[in-house]
Amino acid sequence: MVKLKVAGSLGGKLVVAALVGLGVALPMVVLGVLALAVLVLAIVQCDPGSGSDCPGDCGRRNARRERLTGLIDERVSWLASRDGPAPCRAPDRDRARARRRRWE
């Protein structure tokens, strides 16, 4: 296992050294290799078989989307009725602090 780790590390360093050497000699070749690597990584990361529409942390995104939808709905209902003060996320002390900062 240690030999494999050392060989992988050495192999990676040799690849980087070869790319740097090619970059000095033939910059267009290196740009082509990098473009190909980016394309391959984009295709590999896509993975349509996972069954999920978002590759990252979907739970956090969905929770944020639901929270924002709730805030929008609250604002729309307030605009329709105009009962009481406008809905705001911040507590009263934060609202007052923001108002003070605006006038300073």
Side-chain angles (χ1 to χ4, degrees):
M1 194 65 153
V2 173
K3 288 182 185 180
L4 185 64
K5 194 175 193 180
V6 171
S9 175
L10 184 59
K13 289 175 185 175
L14 287 174
V15 168
V16 170
L19 282 176
V20 170
L22 279 175
V24 172
L26 303 167
M28 293 306 289
V29 172
V30 172
L31 287 176
V33 168
L34 288 176
L36 184 65
V38 168
L39 179 68
V40 168
L41 287 175
I43 290 171
V44 168
Q45 188 177 9
C46 187
D47 190 20
S50 68
S52 176
D53 61 344
C54 59
D57 185 13
C58 291
R60 190 181 79 213
R61 289 182 184 173
N62 289 339
R64 182 173 184 262
R65 184 181 306 123
E66 290 170 5
R67 183 180 58 82
L68 290 175
T69 303
L71 290 172
I72 291 170
D73 292 341
E74 181 182 358
R75 176 65 75 164
V76 167
S77 66
W78 178 80
L79 285 172
S81 66
R82 299 283 179 146
D83 291 335
C88 183
R89 283 186 336 154
D92 290 334
R93 61 183 164 78
D94 290 340
R95 205 175 321 148
R97 187 180 309 140
R99 224 179 281 128
R100 271 186 261 124
R101 264 189 258 135
R102 200 174 341 149
W103 295 108
E104 290 178 359

